[in-house]
Amino acid sequence: MQNGKLIIFSAPSGSGKTTIVKRLLSTFPQFEFSISATSRQPRGEERDGVDYFFLSAEEFRQKVTENAFVEWEEVYNGTCYGTLRSEMERIWAKGNVIIFDVDVMGGINLKRIFGEHACSIFIKAPSVEALRERLIGRGTDSAETIEKRVAKAEFELSKASEFDFVVVNDILDNAVAETEKIITEFLKR
Ligand code: ADP
Ligand code: 5GP
C-alpha cells in the first residue's frame, strides 16, 4: 500500500473525540476521514457511506475473509468495526492525510503498523463522571449502553500511555488548540 501520513484518535466513548475530529476536518482541507465499516445499526442522523459503511454481520465476516481490513475489532459484544484497506488507498491516492476515529486497541494496532507515518492521540475526558454525563447529554445511547461504555473506559484509560500524545478534553476550545499544535508539528516532520 502507498504510504502517506495518518492521524489516529482514540478515546473512551463520550470523551469528545468525534467533536474534536469534526473541528479539525473543517480547519485542515487536506484531512480526510477514514470511513470505517461496522456491523451495528445506524443511529440518529447517521448515513451509510458517510459516517460508516453499515454492513450485516455476514457481510462483515465476508470482508474479514477477503482480507479487506487493515485492522478490525469486536469493540462491543457482537459489534465489529474495521478499517478498510480500500478507504486508506482512496485517501492517500489523492495525497490527503487520513484521520482515524478508532477504538483504543485499533489505535495501538494502526500505530504499530504505520510507525513514523502515524501520529496517535488519546483524547481523555477530565473524569469518568464527566464521561458519563457527556454520554447522557449526547442522548444517543440507552442507559444500558452508556453503562457498558463507561465500564469499558477504565480498561481504555489504562492504555493511554501507549499513544504518542494524551489530550485532556476539558474546555473544548483548549483541547482543539492543543491537538492542532501537535498535528502541525507532526506534519512538518
Ligand atoms: P466521542 O466521539 O468520544 O464518543 P462525542 O464527540 O460524541 O464523543 O462527545 C460526547 C458528548 O460530549 C457530545 O454530546 C459532545 O457535544 C459533548 N462534548 C464534547 N466535548 C466536550 C467538552 N469539552 N465539554 C463538554 N461537553 C463536550
Ligand atoms: P460508535 O458505535 O460510538 O460509533 O463507535 C464505537 C467505537 O468503535 C468507538 O470507540 C470508535 O472509535 C470505534 N471504531 C470505529 N471505527 C473503528 C474501526 O475501524 N476500527 C476500530 N478498531 N474501532 C473503530
Side-chain angles (χ1 to χ4, degrees):
M1 197 173 356
Q2 179 198 346
N3 249 1
K5 284 189 168 179
L6 58 144
I7 300 163
I8 304 157
F9 288 93
S10 297
S13 182
S15 308
K17 173 173 40 99
T18 309
T19 309
I20 293 173
V21 166
K22 283 198 172 141
R23 287 270 295 262
L24 294 172
L25 287 168
S26 65
T27 310
F28 295 82
Q30 76 274 36
F31 287 179
E32 202 169 338
F33 185 63
S34 165
I35 303 166
S36 295
T38 180
S39 65
R40 81 154 163 76
Q41 298 289 318
R43 66 180 180 222
E45 302 279 283
E46 287 179 337
R47 282 183 297 146
D48 185 44
V50 177
D51 301 282
Y52 282 107
F53 295 106
F54 293 100
L55 306 180
S56 67
E58 181 47 39
E59 287 167 332
F60 198 98
R61 267 195 298 275
Q62 180 63 29
K63 291 226 180 279
V64 172
T65 334
E66 290 165 2
N67 197 26
F69 293 116
V70 178
E71 64 76 37
W72 70 274
E73 296 282 331
E74 183 175 335
V75 177
Y76 298 105
N77 249 351
T79 309
C80 296
Y81 298 80
T83 301
L84 291 162
R85 220 172 279 285
S86 55
E87 250 318 85
M88 295 190 67
E89 280 164 356
R90 182 184 68 77
I91 298 171
W92 276 340
K94 291 199 257 175
N96 284 342
V97 175
I98 313 179
I99 304 291
F100 286 93
D101 172 341
V102 292
D103 87 311
V104 168
M105 294 318 295
I108 292 170
N109 283 333
L110 285 171
K111 176 66 191 181
R112 185 176 45 75
I113 297 167
F114 294 100
E116 290 304 301
H117 295 279
C119 173
S120 65
I121 304 175
F122 188 96
I123 306 289
K124 216 173 143 174
S127 67
V128 173
E129 208 28 61
L131 193 74
R132 182 183 280 107
E133 279 165 20
R134 285 179 192 181
L135 285 170
I136 295 168
R138 189 168 69 184
T140 52
D141 300 288
S142 67
E144 189 194 341
T145 303
I146 289 175
E147 283 319 308
K148 264 197 218 164
R149 288 178 182 232
V150 171
K152 200 170 180 196
E154 201 175 327
F155 163 77
E156 293 168 323
L157 288 165
S158 75
K159 299 283 176 197
S161 62
E162 297 189 36
F163 283 72
D164 294 332
F165 299 93
V166 177
V167 172
V168 178
N169 177 22
D170 188 355
I171 310 292
L172 180 62
D173 284 344
N174 294 353
V176 170
E178 191 181 340
T179 309
E180 283 181 357
K181 194 161 163 255
I182 291 168
I183 291 175
T184 307
E185 284 304 312
F186 167 70
L187 293 177
K188 280 189 203 154
R189 292 213 309 252

